[in-house]
Amino acid sequence: MSLWSRFKRAMRSIFGGAISSLENPRLILEQNIRELNDQVPKMNENIATVKANVIMLQKEEKRLNGSVAALRSKIQSAINSGREDLARKEAIRFETAQENLTKTQEQLVHATAAYDKAQQVKKAFMRERQRKIDAAQEALRANERSKWQKNVADTLEQFEVGGVDQTHDEMIQRIDEETARNEARIEVALDSVDVQSMNLEEEAENLRASEIVNQMKLEMGLSQAPPSSSSEQISDQSAESEDKTMGRSRTSES
């Protein structure tokens, strides 16, 4: 190996490592996406130039076709009129126009083929461009996820599990004790209240209220007298049955 080759290899090993350490993959991918997008207008401009050439040749072909047809008519008219001198004069122009028409048609064929090829190249480029952009964006999203995971890992590494668990359990125990004390106070307070007496008083108030309402209905003529209690009905029925029994016995004696 020559001295110059060894020197170049040594320079590449030095500066190559330094450049690699300075490269930021995320920034480079973003720059690649911008460059791929910037190439689209340039490609469209080149394709437009090819298309313009096709349109120009199509117009030239149309013009030459008209010239050839007009010269053909002049030559035929001169021959019919017996003016072969005029026919020969127009014949040279007719031949030149035909040659130009043939060349223009050939150029038009090549220009049309070039335009079709450019369209195919653009289509292939757009597919490859989209594929590279999608891959770059996915890599950037993966980079963002990895940064988030790194932050989480750093947080977990700095997390004092033992101290937090001890404080956590202590606070829960204190809240449970306070809750138990409050529940005990409620039970003691309820035991000190004569609930049965309160219920009896409430029932008595309800009965008095019902009697007042019934009395008001009687005064307003909206209701009949309240029926007697069940004990009074039973005593009345017993007295009536005794009266009937005594009546039957007297009838039998008489």
Side-chain angles (χ1 to χ4, degrees), residues 48-90:
T49 302
V50 177
K51 181 64 176 178
N53 188 33
V54 172
I55 294 173
M56 183 185 65
L57 290 173
Q58 288 174 344
K59 291 181 178 180
E60 181 68 13
E61 181 190 23
K62 184 178 180 180
R63 185 187 67 78
L64 290 173
N65 277 325
S67 298
V68 170
L71 290 171
R72 185 188 297 275
S73 297
K74 288 181 180 181
I75 293 172
Q76 290 175 351
S77 297
I79 292 173
N80 292 331
S81 301
R83 299 291 303 273
E84 291 188 3
D85 55 338
L86 293 176
R88 286 193 296 271
K89 182 179 178 180
E90 297 295 336

Side-chain angles (χ1 to χ4, degrees), residues 44-244:
N44 290 334
E45 185 178 354
N46 293 333
I47 294 176
T49 302
V50 177
K51 181 64 176 178
N53 188 33
V54 172
I55 294 173
M56 183 185 65
L57 290 173
Q58 288 174 344
K59 291 181 178 180
E60 181 68 13
E61 181 190 23
K62 184 178 180 180
R63 185 187 67 78
L64 290 173
N65 277 325
S67 298
V68 170
L71 290 171
R72 185 188 297 275
S73 297
K74 288 181 180 181
I75 293 172
Q76 290 175 351
S77 297
I79 292 173
N80 292 331
S81 301
R83 299 291 303 273
E84 291 188 3
D85 55 338
L86 293 176
R88 286 193 296 271
K89 182 179 178 180
E90 297 295 336
I92 301 301
R93 295 179 58 193
F94 175 76
E95 184 181 18
T96 302
Q98 272 193 328
E99 291 177 354
N100 292 334
L101 177 61
T102 301
K103 292 178 181 179
T104 301
Q105 288 175 340
E106 291 177 354
Q107 292 175 358
L108 179 59
V109 170
H110 293 301
T112 304
Y115 176 72
D116 294 338
K117 185 67 174 178
Q119 289 284 65
Q120 294 176 3
V121 170
K122 178 185 176 181
K123 187 180 295 184
F125 169 78
M126 294 301 289
R127 285 198 302 267
E128 182 66 15
R129 164 185 165 274
Q130 190 61 45
R131 186 187 67 80
K132 289 182 177 180
I133 289 177
D134 292 342
Q137 290 177 345
E138 178 59 28
L140 291 175
R141 287 192 291 269
N143 179 257
E144 291 295 328
R145 289 194 298 269
S146 67
K147 289 170 63 177
W148 175 80
Q149 292 171 352
K150 178 180 179 298
N151 293 333
V152 173
D154 293 341
T155 303
L156 292 176
E157 289 176 355
Q158 299 173 2
F159 187 65
E160 296 180 358
V161 179
V164 171
D165 287 345
Q166 182 178 1
T167 306
H168 181 77
D169 295 339
E170 182 181 354
M171 294 300 104
I172 290 178
Q173 183 178 0
R174 290 173 61 180
I175 290 175
D176 291 341
E177 292 175 355
E178 183 177 358
T179 303
R181 284 195 300 270
N182 292 332
E183 291 177 353
R185 291 179 63 188
I186 291 175
E187 291 180 359
V188 171
L190 291 176
D191 291 340
S192 62
V193 177
D194 190 357
V195 179
Q196 186 174 3
S197 299
M198 294 174 62
N199 292 334
L200 290 175
E201 291 178 0
E202 184 178 359
E203 291 178 0
E205 289 180 357
N206 291 333
L207 289 174
R208 287 198 303 273
S210 299
E211 291 175 359
I212 294 171
V213 171
N214 291 332
Q215 184 65 33
M216 290 290 182
K217 288 182 178 180
L218 285 173
E219 293 176 358
M220 297 171 64
L222 299 177
S223 176
Q224 298 179 357
S228 58
S229 61
S230 59
S231 59
E232 293 177 353
Q233 291 178 357
I234 293 172
S235 60
D236 292 342
Q237 291 176 359
S238 301
E240 184 179 356
S241 61
E242 289 178 357
D243 292 340
K244 289 181 180 180

